[in-house]
Amino acid sequence: MNFVNEEIVYGKNPVAELLKSGKPINKVLLVSDGPSGKNQDIMALLHKNNTPYQFVDRQTLDRLTNRERHQGMLAYVAASEYANVEDILALAVERQEDPFILMLDEIEDPHNLGALLRTVDAVGAHGVIIPKRRSVALTGTVAKTSAGAVEHVKVARVSNLVQTLKDLKKAGCWVSGAEAGGTNAFKADLTGPRVIVIGSEGKGISRLLRENCDEIVSLPMRGQVSSLNASVAGSVMLYEVLRQRIQSEKPITKI
């Protein structure tokens, strides 16, 4: 029997079938049974699919399932299908536009991700890239906060943001990281094939990712607070890219 409660599936057979189905999964939680335990078949599927997983205690699963018979495992099902980076680039080609991509570095608040998806849809950007680990995934809260945008925005979930950024640069994209201390974003040239990188709520852009940006740009701050919420900063940056694109009317750059 397949036990489903909103965005979770639990029980060994239901989780195994979910993994075999190829449906999008945000994360699997399971109780460790040792290196030679009875869940080795599940572990093999997790590794084969490169699905994020985490070992937890049995009490955690009892709480999440209201003490239903979870058999030591639970899967969080994604609220929407994930795309891949190639899909995002293909959409730009289909629209005959320069790529316009938002990359999010370990955003943990589902409301921030949902709000950004809504803005990405509004400005006509081609997609969002998030990491598989240490980041909020496409949860029900994200879907609700996005006001339906999750159904229209391509979201790629990758194992390595730095490598993905390097690949996008090879494909002709210019990368602008949004962080304090950079060039005034309103004076920077944000036209052409563009990736905007927004860091996490607390730590900002990670060191390796920052080092692989082509430039760091900042929003001018004239008040007393020193930073903006990640979704607000990201939304302002995305609209600045759109504003410059509308103004520039530059020819499409072939990539």
Side-chain angles (χ1 to χ4, degrees), residues 48-114:
K48 178 182 178 182
N49 297 347
N50 198 21
T51 302
Y53 65 90
Q54 178 182 349
F55 290 116
V56 297
D57 56 42
R58 191 166 293 276
Q59 290 72 27
T60 298
L61 295 185
D62 288 342
R63 175 174 54 80
L64 291 171
T65 61
N66 293 319
R67 305 192 73 82
E68 294 282 354
R69 190 166 177 267
H70 50 70
Q71 297 177 296
M73 62 188 66
L74 174 153
Y76 286 98
V77 184
S80 183
E81 293 278 348
Y82 289 103
N84 55 51
V85 177
E86 289 73 21
D87 294 329
I88 294 173
L89 292 173
L91 179 60
V93 173
E94 179 185 327
R95 293 181 182 172
Q96 296 186 315
E97 297 171 342
D98 284 331
F100 181 7
I101 300 168
L102 176 65
M103 176 177 282
L104 301 176
D105 184 15
E106 299 184 12
I107 295 292
E108 297 178 346
D109 187 336
H111 296 93
N112 279 338
L113 178 55

Side-chain angles (χ1 to χ4, degrees), residues 12 30-31 33 37-44 71-73:
K12 182 171 182 178
L30 67 165
V31 176
D33 59 355
K38 60 185 178 181
N39 291 334
Q40 293 308 297
D41 54 339
I42 296 293
M43 296 302 300
Q71 297 177 296
M73 62 188 66

Side-chain angles (χ1 to χ4, degrees), residues 116-216:
L116 284 165
L117 291 180
R118 193 170 181 177
T119 305
V120 166
D121 179 62
V123 302
H126 302 111
V128 178
I129 300 172
I130 61 174
K132 281 191 173 182
R133 290 171 174 79
R134 297 184 296 279
S135 171
V136 66
L138 293 181
T139 66
T141 301
V142 170
K144 184 177 180 180
T145 307
S146 78
V150 72
E151 299 298 331
H152 306 288
V153 174
K154 294 185 183 298
V155 179
R157 202 172 180 217
V158 301
S159 299
N160 190 318
L161 286 181
V162 174
Q163 184 57 54
T164 300
L165 204 59
K166 290 178 179 178
D167 293 341
L168 287 169
K169 290 170 72 172
K170 289 178 182 176
C173 292
W174 189 267
V175 181
S176 302
E179 199 162 68
T183 303
N184 187 330
F186 299 150
K187 296 180 179 180
D189 182 358
L190 300 178
T191 57
R194 183 70 43 178
V195 179
I196 298 294
V197 181
I198 301 293
S200 66
E201 294 89 351
K203 301 176 183 178
I205 302 173
S206 61
R207 180 181 60 83
L208 285 177
L209 203 58
R210 188 188 308 111
E211 289 175 355
N212 280 277
C213 290
D214 293 304
E215 63 179 353
I216 298 297

